[in-house]
Structure formats: structure tokens, C-alpha cells
Amino acid sequence: MSSLRLATMDDLERLMPLVAGFHAEEGIEQDDDTRRGALVPLLEGSPHGAIWMIGPRVAPVGYIAVSFGWSIEFGGIDAYLDELYVRERVRGRGMGSEALAALVRALSGQGVTAMSLEVDTDNDRVRALYERMGFQSRNRYHLMTHLF
């Protein structure tokens, strides 16, 4: 079983290359200063989100980043799975799905009523994983984003 623990500022230097790895795979262009600026508030305890490290404390293999909001439709606090990453060389061993299942249980126990996420429509393997984990497509809805 993979370990899952809430990340703190002590994890920043181990987290930065993991996030950079995820961003490189996904084609997300972001410099280290911007990346650091997005991570630090979450590691310092921002109520807007949190990051959990996957794997051993000294050599984590991945992370999960979640942001929090409020949903009238879902009746309370909702979560948005912003990023889930496991290093490529250890993928396929179930660590990501174990960590996500543990996180879903923990958040549910803390009053979170729903969790949403985005997945690339062409990534059948990852979409199948999320479906096995209980996530469902909301076909009537189309995610739209306005960047500032």
C-alpha cells in the first residue's frame, strides 16, 4: 500500500520536480517561480486547497493536489482534483489509485460532498481508472474556463 500524507512546506523541494514532471507531460508551460508561488500557499495551510504526497517521506513518487469550493447543487463543500501525478517509472502498480481512494475516504469523512476532475478525452487508460474509482462523466455539462 502506498502512503499518503498531507504535504507541508518541508516538502516543497521534493514536490517541485514532481509538479514540473507532471506539467512537462501535460504540456503545461509554467516557470519555477510561478509554480512555487502556486504551491506555497497550499503547503502553508490555505483553506482553498491542499496537496498530499504519495510514497515515502524522503522519496515521494507522486502527489495529489485538490482545491475546495462550495456547491449548492452538491449541498456543501466540494473538491476539485487539480493534479494527480505518479512518476512514470512506478506507474501501473496501483499507488495512484490507492492514494486517490484513501483521499476520497478521508475527504468524505470531513464533510466534502463531491469531487470533480478533468481528464483528457483521448486518455482512455486514465479515464477508465477514474471510472473504476467512481467518477462519472456529466455529459450534459461542458467545462469552460476564463483565464485572467
Side-chain angles (χ1 to χ4, degrees):
M1 172 144 189
S2 64
S3 64
L4 181 71
R5 64 177 179 76
L6 189 62
T8 67
M9 279 299 295
D10 293 339
D11 295 300
L12 181 61
E13 296 313 314
R14 287 181 289 276
L15 182 60
M16 286 287 291
L18 293 170
V19 177
F22 174 75
H23 288 180
E25 283 185 22
E26 294 296 315
I28 298 169
E29 293 185 25
Q30 189 177 70
D31 62 63
D32 282 343
D33 289 338
T34 303
R35 189 174 291 123
R36 184 179 302 274
L39 294 172
V40 167
L42 299 177
L43 298 174
E44 290 179 334
S46 169
H48 300 292
I51 300 171
W52 287 265
M53 304 300 286
I54 301 170
R57 181 174 296 275
V58 295
V61 298
Y63 69 97
I64 302 175
V66 174
S67 60
F68 299 108
W70 189 266
S71 172
I72 295 169
E73 177 183 359
F74 296 128
I77 298 170
D78 65 343
Y80 185 84
L81 196 157
D82 188 42
E83 297 184 2
L84 168 58
Y85 178 75
V86 174
R87 289 184 194 272
E88 186 174 11
R89 71 176 192 270
V90 297
R91 287 183 193 153
R93 300 179 189 179
M95 291 189 285
S97 56
E98 284 179 17
L100 182 56
L103 182 61
V104 166
R105 285 189 304 273
L107 292 179
S108 175
Q110 295 298 311
V112 174
T113 60
M115 182 184 293
S116 300
L117 57 83
E118 288 180 76
V119 63
D120 188 318
T121 56
D122 294 332
N123 196 335
D124 294 332
R125 184 183 60 80
V126 173
R127 194 172 64 235
L129 164 75
Y130 288 138
E131 288 171 352
R132 284 192 309 273
M133 301 292 302
F135 289 87
Q136 300 174 10
S137 180
R138 299 184 76 205
N139 293 330
R140 286 185 42 215
Y141 300 94
H142 179 83
L143 178 66
M144 300 175 73
T145 303
H146 179 92
L147 298 176
F148 297 97

